[in-house]
Amino acid sequence: MQDIPFLSVPDMLRQNAARFQGKLALKYRKQGKFVTLSYAEFYERALMAARGLKKCNVKPGERVAILSENRAGWVIADMGILTVGGVTVPIYPTNTPEQIEYVLNHSEARIVFVSSKFQYSKLLRIRETIPKVELVVSFERFLGEPELPVCTFYQLSEIDLPVTESEKKQLEAGIDCIGPTDLLTLIYTSGTTGVPKGVPLTHRNILFDAFYTSRKAVVLRECEVHLSFLPLSHVLERTIGYYMMIMNGSMMAFADSIEKVPENMMEVKPTVMVSVPRLFEKIYSRIFENVHQMSVVKRKLFHWAIEVGKKYVEARYIEKRTSPLLAFKYNVADRLVFGKLRERFGGNMRLFCSGGAPLDKTINEFFWIIGLPILEGYGLTETSPAVSFNNFDQVRFGSVGTALEHTEIKTAEDGELLIRGPQIMTGYYKEPAATGESLQDGWFKTGDIGYIENGFVYITDRKKELIITAGGKNIAPQPLENELKLDKYISSAFVYGDRKPYLTALLVPNMERLLEFAREKHIDYYDMDDLVIHEPVTRLMEQRLAEINSHLPQYESIKKFVLLPRDFSIDGGELTPTLKLRRKVIYEKYKDKIEGMYVENGN
């Protein structure tokens, strides 16, 4: 690992602040307009934050929490914490007060950065149960309560007082004392089940992952513009969308919100983005919604272009050969169709990175066809996160790519993927039993089931989420759910059937398509709850499901379904902050509906 030129993350920022001092590092909205900070200014602001934290007596190894949405203050606070040798504890801004209470008490953080009064109010509600918290630092100005002191980030940083040479020298001496094996962060897994576990990651873990991911990607340049919207609390955005961007001298631009991403893409004109599959599913669905509204001639042109693109991508990236005629046809398709699609992403987008959950093969291939390649990878919080991904030289749709350098991946007898490499955590925080279960003989047990073929890793499902039917069949629900979501009338799906005689599903319809269908059929309904139980709607969904089932083995077919009037959500508790299904929560919430689909069979 001697290739990595940095000893710690603050050392990386210090070096690159000198190397790229005039280049833009951060872009964010302030009072309605986008403003920027150069690398030199970013470093200066990080030193100011570190100065304030030192005055608050933050010691090396001490945990400091950040409860905030993505914004410039998040990364400046993070760099300030790390500069004094502290350990950043990110907390999802969507977390409930009870979830926040657990993380703060378990990590023993006494200082918490918050984005707003809304996040501060969550802390007030649990004030009596978080006795170790002494100070709240807010990125926005508001009046706090006496029982929970709050100051602004500007006050902590003493923003009007430049860092003196003696202060800088003292702070940089502290940076020199931070070693690769020192703790950088304590990330609490959002978890699809159970109580979150604290994952400690060192500077070496993160720097290794960012460096070798960048090296494997090959194509990343210093002039990249990254639009950040996936939560920085999540290790994927943290390592790949933040630290790796700083490592390469790229610029991070912060989206106003997940909802504003399409609008922000047109404003910021990013070149790269990190996301989870749900965004790509929604974009794919939206594009085909628009195609559905086109004239017959334009629809035919679109589908011709997709067929040409499919052959071209297969020939160029998989078979490594292409003919002049095919290249000519693709250029025509690109000029007439794909180029116009790319304009909706700002016009400069070069590639996406996807992780966090399996991306449907059809959707991935579609993005490559239209000239917006998705480099799909695989990893977990415990692996910093990346352990493998596809790049332009090695890609197989449906796989999560090949391993990073110095990283070993193998399968256990039951198909569970095991990983060994420098990016693996040392063990769960205060959880020796869980550590012993997950780390054995240097190998990390991922809990994911998969296989390796010609070096490419394929994930089939989570070990604990496999459905074992009453007939003894092992069925992975995620591929089935992805198959269902490809239907134009289905937005979300949850497949169930553990220890049952057949599979059932909770389906969330594509509301736009459903409302269009209701207009066409002159269906009279009161609200969405009423619409989804109307006979023409259930009959339509039965027909769609029959078509999907016709392509599946008998034991994987969906025998019954219930339509839900609203989508799964983070606020509703059905999704993790990274938009993965919380299967146990969904089952408990809709238990009556699910079990009702088995009543006739006496189960």
Coordinates of all heavy atoms in Angstrom, one line a residue, residues 525-593:
Y525 N -63.7 6.9 -8.7 CA -63.1 6.5 -7.4 C -63.0 7.7 -6.5 O -63.0 8.8 -6.9 CB -61.7 5.9 -7.6 CG -60.7 6.8 -8.3 CD1 -59.8 7.5 -7.5 CD2 -60.7 6.9 -9.6 CE1 -58.9 8.4 -8.1 CE2 -59.7 7.8 -10.2 CZ -58.9 8.5 -9.4 OH -58.0 9.4 -10.0
Y526 N -62.9 7.4 -5.2 CA -62.9 8.5 -4.2 C -61.4 8.9 -3.9 O -61.1 10.1 -3.9 CB -63.5 8.0 -2.9 CG -63.5 9.0 -1.8 CD1 -64.2 10.1 -1.8 CD2 -62.7 8.7 -0.6 CE1 -64.2 11.1 -0.8 CE2 -62.6 9.7 0.4 CZ -63.4 10.8 0.3 OH -63.4 11.7 1.3
D527 N -60.5 8.0 -3.7 CA -59.1 8.3 -3.4 C -58.3 7.1 -3.8 O -58.8 6.1 -4.4 CB -58.9 8.7 -2.0 CG -59.3 7.6 -1.0 OD1 -59.5 6.4 -1.4 OD2 -59.4 7.9 0.2
M528 N -56.9 7.2 -3.6 CA -56.1 6.1 -4.0 C -56.4 4.8 -3.3 O -56.3 3.7 -3.9 CB -54.6 6.5 -3.8 CG -54.1 7.6 -4.7 SD -54.4 7.5 -6.4 CE -53.5 6.0 -6.8
D529 N -56.8 4.9 -2.1 CA -57.1 3.6 -1.3 C -58.3 2.9 -2.1 O -58.4 1.7 -2.1 CB -57.6 4.0 0.1 CG -56.4 4.5 0.9 OD1 -56.0 5.7 0.7 OD2 -55.9 3.8 1.8
D530 N -59.2 3.8 -2.6 CA -60.4 3.2 -3.3 C -60.0 2.7 -4.7 O -60.4 1.6 -5.1 CB -61.4 4.3 -3.4 CG -62.7 3.8 -4.1 OD1 -63.1 2.7 -3.8 OD2 -63.4 4.6 -4.8
L531 N -59.1 3.4 -5.4 CA -58.7 3.1 -6.7 C -58.0 1.7 -6.8 O -58.3 0.9 -7.7 CB -57.9 4.2 -7.3 CG -57.4 3.9 -8.8 CD1 -58.5 3.8 -9.7 CD2 -56.4 5.0 -9.2
V532 N -57.1 1.5 -5.9 CA -56.3 0.2 -6.0 C -57.1 -1.0 -5.7 O -56.6 -2.1 -6.0 CB -55.1 0.3 -5.0 CG1 -54.1 1.4 -5.4 CG2 -55.5 0.4 -3.6
I533 N -58.3 -0.9 -5.2 CA -59.1 -2.1 -5.0 C -60.3 -2.3 -6.0 O -61.1 -3.2 -6.0 CB -59.7 -2.2 -3.6 CG1 -60.6 -1.0 -3.3 CG2 -58.6 -2.3 -2.5 CD1 -61.4 -1.0 -2.0
H534 N -60.3 -1.3 -7.0 CA -61.3 -1.4 -8.1 C -61.0 -2.6 -9.0 O -59.9 -2.9 -9.3 CB -61.3 -0.1 -8.9 CG -62.4 0.8 -8.7 ND1 -63.6 0.7 -9.3 CD2 -62.6 1.8 -7.8 CE1 -64.5 1.6 -8.9 NE2 -63.8 2.3 -8.0
E535 N -62.1 -3.3 -9.4 CA -62.0 -4.5 -10.1 C -61.2 -4.3 -11.4 O -60.3 -5.2 -11.7 CB -63.4 -5.1 -10.5 CG -63.3 -6.5 -11.1 CD -64.6 -7.0 -11.5 OE1 -65.6 -6.5 -11.1 OE2 -64.6 -8.0 -12.3
P536 N -61.4 -3.3 -12.2 CA -60.6 -3.1 -13.5 C -59.1 -3.0 -13.2 O -58.3 -3.5 -13.9 CB -61.1 -1.9 -14.1 CG -62.5 -1.7 -13.5 CD -62.4 -2.2 -12.1
V537 N -58.8 -2.4 -12.0 CA -57.4 -2.2 -11.7 C -56.7 -3.5 -11.3 O -55.6 -3.9 -11.7 CB -57.2 -1.2 -10.5 CG1 -55.8 -1.1 -10.0 CG2 -57.6 0.2 -11.0
T538 N -57.4 -4.3 -10.4 CA -56.9 -5.6 -10.0 C -56.8 -6.5 -11.2 O -55.9 -7.3 -11.3 CB -57.8 -6.2 -8.9 OG1 -59.1 -6.3 -9.3 CG2 -57.7 -5.4 -7.6
R539 N -57.8 -6.4 -12.1 CA -57.8 -7.3 -13.3 C -56.5 -6.9 -14.1 O -55.9 -7.8 -14.7 CB -59.1 -7.1 -14.0 CG -59.3 -8.3 -15.0 CD -60.8 -8.4 -15.5 NE -61.3 -7.1 -16.0 CZ -62.3 -6.4 -15.5 NH1 -62.9 -6.8 -14.4 NH2 -62.6 -5.3 -16.1
L540 N -56.3 -5.6 -14.3 CA -55.1 -5.2 -15.0 C -53.8 -5.7 -14.4 O -53.0 -6.3 -15.1 CB -55.1 -3.7 -15.1 CG -53.7 -3.0 -15.5 CD1 -53.6 -3.2 -17.0 CD2 -53.6 -1.6 -15.2
M541 N -53.7 -5.7 -13.1 CA -52.5 -6.1 -12.4 C -52.4 -7.6 -12.5 O -51.3 -8.1 -12.6 CB -52.5 -5.6 -11.0 CG -51.1 -5.5 -10.4 SD -50.0 -4.3 -11.3 CE -50.7 -2.8 -10.9
E542 N -53.5 -8.3 -12.5 CA -53.4 -9.8 -12.7 C -52.9 -10.1 -14.1 O -52.1 -11.1 -14.2 CB -54.9 -10.4 -12.5 CG -55.3 -10.5 -11.1 CD -56.8 -10.8 -11.0 OE1 -57.5 -10.9 -12.1 OE2 -57.3 -10.9 -9.9
Q543 N -53.3 -9.4 -15.1 CA -52.7 -9.6 -16.4 C -51.3 -9.3 -16.5 O -50.5 -10.1 -17.1 CB -53.5 -8.7 -17.4 CG -55.0 -9.1 -17.6 CD -55.8 -8.0 -18.3 OE1 -55.2 -7.0 -18.7 NE2 -57.1 -8.3 -18.5
R544 N -50.8 -8.2 -15.9 CA -49.4 -7.9 -15.9 C -48.6 -8.9 -15.2 O -47.5 -9.3 -15.6 CB -49.2 -6.5 -15.2 CG -50.0 -5.4 -15.6 CD -49.9 -5.0 -17.1 NE -48.6 -4.6 -17.5 CZ -48.3 -4.2 -18.7 NH1 -49.3 -4.1 -19.6 NH2 -47.1 -3.9 -19.0
L545 N -49.1 -9.4 -14.0 CA -48.4 -10.4 -13.2 C -48.4 -11.7 -14.0 O -47.4 -12.4 -13.9 CB -49.2 -10.6 -11.9 CG -48.3 -11.1 -10.7 CD1 -47.1 -10.2 -10.5 CD2 -49.1 -11.1 -9.4
A546 N -49.4 -12.1 -14.7 CA -49.5 -13.3 -15.5 C -48.4 -13.3 -16.5 O -47.7 -14.3 -16.8 CB -50.8 -13.5 -16.1
E547 N -48.2 -12.1 -17.1 CA -47.1 -12.0 -18.2 C -45.7 -12.2 -17.5 O -44.9 -12.9 -18.1 CB -47.2 -10.6 -18.8 CG -46.1 -10.2 -19.8 CD -46.0 -11.1 -21.0 OE1 -47.0 -11.8 -21.3 OE2 -44.9 -11.2 -21.5
I548 N -45.5 -11.6 -16.4 CA -44.2 -11.7 -15.7 C -44.0 -13.2 -15.2 O -42.9 -13.8 -15.4 CB -44.2 -10.8 -14.5 CG1 -44.2 -9.3 -14.9 CG2 -42.9 -11.1 -13.6 CD1 -44.4 -8.3 -13.8
N549 N -45.1 -13.8 -14.7 CA -45.0 -15.2 -14.2 C -44.6 -16.2 -15.4 O -44.0 -17.2 -15.1 CB -46.3 -15.6 -13.6 CG -46.4 -15.1 -12.1 OD1 -45.4 -14.8 -11.5 ND2 -47.6 -15.0 -11.7
S550 N -45.1 -15.8 -16.6 CA -44.8 -16.7 -17.7 C -43.4 -16.9 -18.0 O -43.0 -17.9 -18.7 CB -45.6 -16.2 -18.9 OG -45.0 -15.0 -19.4
H551 N -42.5 -16.0 -17.5 CA -41.1 -16.1 -17.8 C -40.3 -16.7 -16.6 O -39.1 -16.8 -16.6 CB -40.5 -14.7 -18.1 CG -41.2 -14.0 -19.2 ND1 -41.1 -14.5 -20.5 CD2 -41.9 -12.9 -19.3 CE1 -41.8 -13.7 -21.3 NE2 -42.3 -12.7 -20.6
L552 N -41.1 -17.1 -15.5 CA -40.4 -17.5 -14.3 C -40.7 -19.0 -14.1 O -41.7 -19.5 -14.5 CB -41.0 -16.7 -13.1 CG -40.7 -15.2 -13.1 CD1 -41.6 -14.6 -11.9 CD2 -39.3 -14.9 -12.9
P553 N -39.8 -19.7 -13.4 CA -40.1 -21.1 -13.0 C -41.3 -21.1 -12.1 O -41.6 -20.1 -11.4 CB -38.9 -21.5 -12.1 CG -37.8 -20.5 -12.4 CD -38.5 -19.2 -12.9
Q554 N -42.1 -22.2 -12.1 CA -43.3 -22.3 -11.4 C -43.2 -21.9 -9.9 O -44.0 -21.2 -9.3 CB -43.8 -23.8 -11.5 CG -45.2 -24.0 -10.8 CD -46.3 -23.2 -11.5 OE1 -46.2 -22.9 -12.7 NE2 -47.4 -23.0 -10.8
Y555 N -42.1 -22.4 -9.3 CA -41.9 -22.2 -7.8 C -41.6 -20.7 -7.5 O -41.6 -20.3 -6.4 CB -40.9 -23.1 -7.2 CG -39.5 -22.9 -7.8 CD1 -38.6 -22.0 -7.2 CD2 -39.0 -23.7 -8.8 CE1 -37.3 -21.8 -7.7 CE2 -37.7 -23.5 -9.3 CZ -36.9 -22.6 -8.7 OH -35.6 -22.4 -9.2
E556 N -41.2 -19.9 -8.5 CA -40.9 -18.5 -8.3 C -42.0 -17.6 -8.7 O -41.9 -16.4 -8.6 CB -39.6 -18.1 -9.1 CG -38.3 -18.6 -8.5 CD -37.1 -17.9 -9.1 OE1 -37.2 -17.0 -10.0 OE2 -36.0 -18.3 -8.7
S557 N -43.1 -18.1 -9.3 CA -44.2 -17.3 -9.7 C -44.9 -16.7 -8.5 O -45.0 -17.3 -7.5 CB -45.1 -18.1 -10.7 OG -45.7 -19.2 -10.0
I558 N -45.5 -15.5 -8.7 CA -46.3 -14.8 -7.7 C -47.7 -15.3 -7.9 O -48.4 -15.0 -8.9 CB -46.2 -13.3 -7.8 CG1 -44.7 -12.9 -7.9 CG2 -46.9 -12.6 -6.7 CD1 -43.8 -13.2 -6.8
K559 N -48.2 -15.9 -6.8 CA -49.6 -16.5 -6.9 C -50.7 -15.4 -6.6 O -51.7 -15.4 -7.1 CB -49.8 -17.7 -6.0 CG -48.9 -18.9 -6.4 CD -49.3 -19.5 -7.8 CE -48.6 -20.8 -8.1 NZ -47.2 -20.7 -8.3
K560 N -50.4 -14.6 -5.6 CA -51.3 -13.6 -5.2 C -50.6 -12.3 -4.9 O -49.4 -12.3 -4.6 CB -52.1 -14.1 -3.9 CG -53.0 -15.3 -4.2 CD -53.8 -15.6 -2.9 CE -54.7 -16.8 -3.2 NZ -55.6 -17.1 -2.0
F561 N -51.4 -11.2 -4.9 CA -50.8 -9.9 -4.6 C -51.8 -9.0 -3.9 O -53.0 -9.2 -4.0 CB -50.3 -9.2 -5.9 CG -51.4 -8.9 -6.9 CD1 -52.0 -7.6 -6.8 CD2 -51.9 -9.8 -7.8 CE1 -53.0 -7.3 -7.7 CE2 -52.9 -9.5 -8.7 CZ -53.5 -8.2 -8.6
V562 N -51.3 -7.9 -3.3 CA -52.1 -6.9 -2.8 C -51.6 -5.6 -3.3 O -50.3 -5.4 -3.2 CB -52.2 -6.9 -1.2 CG1 -52.8 -5.6 -0.7 CG2 -52.9 -8.1 -0.7
L563 N -52.4 -4.7 -3.8 CA -52.0 -3.4 -4.2 C -52.0 -2.4 -3.1 O -53.0 -2.3 -2.4 CB -52.8 -2.9 -5.4 CG -52.7 -3.5 -6.7 CD1 -53.6 -2.8 -7.7 CD2 -51.2 -3.4 -7.2
L564 N -50.9 -1.6 -2.9 CA -50.9 -0.6 -1.8 C -51.1 0.8 -2.5 O -50.6 1.1 -3.6 CB -49.5 -0.6 -1.1 CG -49.1 -2.0 -0.5 CD1 -47.7 -1.8 0.1 CD2 -50.1 -2.4 0.6
P565 N -51.8 1.6 -1.8 CA -52.1 3.0 -2.3 C -51.0 4.0 -2.2 O -51.1 5.1 -2.8 CB -53.3 3.4 -1.5 CG -53.1 2.7 -0.2 CD -52.5 1.4 -0.5
R566 N -49.9 3.7 -1.5 CA -48.8 4.6 -1.4 C -47.5 3.8 -1.3 O -47.5 2.7 -0.9 CB -49.0 5.6 -0.2 CG -49.2 4.9 1.1 CD -49.8 5.9 2.2 NE -51.0 6.5 1.8 CZ -52.2 5.9 2.0 NH1 -52.3 4.7 2.6 NH2 -53.3 6.5 1.6
D567 N -46.4 4.5 -1.7 CA -45.1 3.9 -1.8 C -44.5 3.7 -0.4 O -44.8 4.3 0.5 CB -44.2 4.7 -2.7 CG -43.2 3.8 -3.5 OD1 -43.0 2.6 -3.1 OD2 -42.7 4.3 -4.5
F568 N -43.5 2.7 -0.4 CA -42.7 2.6 0.8 C -41.9 3.8 1.0 O -41.5 4.5 0.0 CB -41.8 1.3 0.7 CG -42.5 0.0 0.4 CD1 -42.2 -0.8 -0.7 CD2 -43.6 -0.4 1.2 CE1 -42.9 -1.9 -0.9 CE2 -44.2 -1.5 1.0 CZ -43.9 -2.3 -0.1
S569 N -41.5 4.2 2.2 CA -40.8 5.4 2.4 C -39.9 5.3 3.7 O -40.1 4.4 4.5 CB -41.7 6.6 2.6 OG -42.5 6.4 3.8
I570 N -38.9 6.2 3.8 CA -38.1 6.3 4.9 C -38.9 6.7 6.1 O -38.8 6.1 7.2 CB -36.9 7.3 4.7 CG1 -36.0 6.8 3.6 CG2 -36.1 7.5 6.0 CD1 -35.0 7.8 3.1
D571 N -39.7 7.8 5.9 CA -40.6 8.3 7.0 C -41.5 7.2 7.5 O -41.8 7.1 8.7 CB -41.4 9.5 6.6 CG -40.5 10.7 6.3 OD1 -39.4 10.7 6.8 OD2 -40.9 11.6 5.6
G572 N -42.0 6.4 6.6 CA -42.9 5.3 7.0 C -42.2 4.1 7.7 O -42.9 3.2 8.2
G573 N -40.9 4.1 7.7 CA -40.1 3.1 8.3 C -39.9 1.9 7.5 O -39.1 1.0 7.9
E574 N -40.4 1.9 6.2 CA -40.2 0.7 5.4 C -38.9 0.6 4.6 O -38.5 -0.4 4.1 CB -41.4 0.6 4.3 CG -42.8 0.6 4.9 CD -43.5 1.9 4.7 OE1 -42.7 2.9 4.6 OE2 -44.7 1.9 4.7
L575 N -38.3 1.8 4.5 CA -37.0 1.9 3.8 C -35.9 2.4 4.7 O -36.1 3.2 5.6 CB -37.1 2.9 2.6 CG -38.1 2.6 1.5 CD1 -38.0 3.7 0.5 CD2 -37.8 1.2 0.9
T576 N -34.7 1.9 4.5 CA -33.5 2.4 5.2 C -33.2 3.8 4.5 O -33.7 4.1 3.5 CB -32.3 1.5 5.0 OG1 -31.8 1.6 3.6 CG2 -32.6 0.1 5.3
P577 N -32.3 4.6 5.1 CA -31.9 5.9 4.5 C -31.3 5.7 3.1 O -31.2 6.7 2.4 CB -30.9 6.5 5.5 CG -31.3 5.9 6.8 CD -31.7 4.5 6.5
T578 N -30.8 4.5 2.8 CA -30.3 4.3 1.4 C -31.3 3.5 0.6 O -30.9 2.9 -0.4 CB -28.9 3.6 1.5 OG1 -29.1 2.4 2.3 CG2 -27.9 4.4 2.1
L579 N -32.6 3.6 1.0 CA -33.7 3.1 0.2 C -33.8 1.6 0.0 O -34.3 1.2 -1.0 CB -33.7 3.9 -1.2 CG -33.6 5.4 -1.1 CD1 -33.6 6.0 -2.5 CD2 -34.7 6.0 -0.3
K580 N -33.2 0.9 0.9 CA -33.4 -0.6 0.9 C -34.6 -1.0 1.7 O -34.9 -0.3 2.7 CB -32.1 -1.3 1.4 CG -30.9 -1.2 0.5 CD -29.7 -2.0 1.0 CE -28.9 -1.2 2.0 NZ -27.6 -1.7 2.3
L581 N -35.3 -2.0 1.3 CA -36.5 -2.5 2.0 C -36.1 -3.0 3.4 O -35.2 -3.8 3.5 CB -37.2 -3.6 1.2 CG -37.7 -3.3 -0.1 CD1 -38.3 -4.5 -0.8 CD2 -38.8 -2.2 -0.1
R582 N -36.8 -2.5 4.4 CA -36.7 -3.1 5.7 C -37.8 -4.2 5.8 O -39.0 -4.0 6.1 CB -37.0 -2.1 6.8 CG -36.0 -1.0 6.9 CD -36.3 -0.1 8.2 NE -35.5 1.1 8.3 CZ -34.3 1.1 8.9 NH1 -33.8 0.1 9.4 NH2 -33.7 2.3 8.9
R583 N -37.4 -5.4 5.5 CA -38.3 -6.5 5.3 C -39.1 -6.8 6.5 O -40.3 -7.1 6.4 CB -37.6 -7.8 4.7 CG -36.6 -7.5 3.6 CD -36.2 -8.7 2.9 NE -37.2 -9.2 2.0 CZ -37.3 -8.8 0.7 NH1 -36.5 -7.9 0.2 NH2 -38.3 -9.2 -0.1
K584 N -38.5 -6.8 7.7 CA -39.3 -7.2 8.9 C -40.3 -6.1 9.2 O -41.4 -6.4 9.6 CB -38.3 -7.3 10.1 CG -37.5 -8.6 10.0 CD -36.7 -8.8 11.3 CE -36.0 -10.2 11.3 NZ -35.2 -10.4 12.6
V585 N -39.9 -4.8 9.0 CA -40.9 -3.7 9.2 C -42.1 -3.8 8.3 O -43.2 -3.7 8.7 CB -40.1 -2.4 9.1 CG1 -41.2 -1.2 9.2 CG2 -39.1 -2.2 10.1
I586 N -41.8 -4.1 7.0 CA -42.8 -4.2 6.0 C -43.8 -5.4 6.4 O -45.0 -5.2 6.3 CB -42.3 -4.4 4.6 CG1 -41.6 -3.1 4.2 CG2 -43.4 -4.7 3.6 CD1 -40.8 -3.2 2.9
Y587 N -43.2 -6.5 6.8 CA -44.0 -7.6 7.1 C -44.9 -7.3 8.3 O -46.1 -7.6 8.3 CB -43.2 -8.9 7.4 CG -44.0 -10.0 8.0 CD1 -44.8 -10.8 7.1 CD2 -44.1 -10.3 9.3 CE1 -45.6 -11.8 7.6 CE2 -44.9 -11.3 9.8 CZ -45.7 -12.1 8.9 OH -46.5 -13.0 9.4
E588 N -44.4 -6.7 9.3 CA -45.2 -6.4 10.5 C -46.2 -5.4 10.2 O -47.4 -5.4 10.7 CB -44.3 -5.9 11.7 CG -43.4 -6.9 12.3 CD -44.2 -8.1 12.9 OE1 -45.3 -7.8 13.4 OE2 -43.7 -9.2 12.9
K589 N -45.9 -4.4 9.4 CA -46.8 -3.3 9.0 C -48.0 -3.8 8.2 O -49.2 -3.4 8.4 CB -46.1 -2.2 8.3 CG -46.9 -0.9 8.1 CD -46.0 0.2 7.7 CE -46.7 1.5 7.7 NZ -45.9 2.7 7.3
Y590 N -47.7 -4.8 7.3 CA -48.8 -5.3 6.4 C -49.1 -6.8 6.7 O -49.5 -7.5 5.8 CB -48.3 -5.1 5.0 CG -48.2 -3.6 4.6 CD1 -46.9 -3.1 4.6 CD2 -49.2 -2.8 4.4 CE1 -46.7 -1.7 4.2 CE2 -49.1 -1.5 4.0 CZ -47.8 -0.9 4.0 OH -47.6 0.4 3.7
K591 N -48.8 -7.2 7.9 CA -49.0 -8.6 8.3 C -50.4 -9.1 7.9 O -50.5 -10.2 7.4 CB -48.7 -8.8 9.8 CG -48.7 -10.2 10.2 CD -48.3 -10.3 11.7 CE -48.3 -11.8 12.2 NZ -47.9 -11.9 13.6
D592 N -51.4 -8.4 8.2 CA -52.8 -8.9 8.0 C -53.0 -9.1 6.5 O -53.6 -10.1 6.1 CB -53.8 -7.9 8.5 CG -53.8 -7.9 10.1 OD1 -53.2 -8.8 10.7 OD2 -54.4 -6.9 10.6
K593 N -52.5 -8.1 5.7 CA -52.7 -8.3 4.2 C -51.9 -9.4 3.7 O -52.4 -10.2 2.8 CB -52.2 -7.0 3.5 CG -53.1 -5.8 3.8 CD -52.6 -4.5 3.1 CE -53.4 -3.3 3.4 NZ -54.8 -3.4 2.9

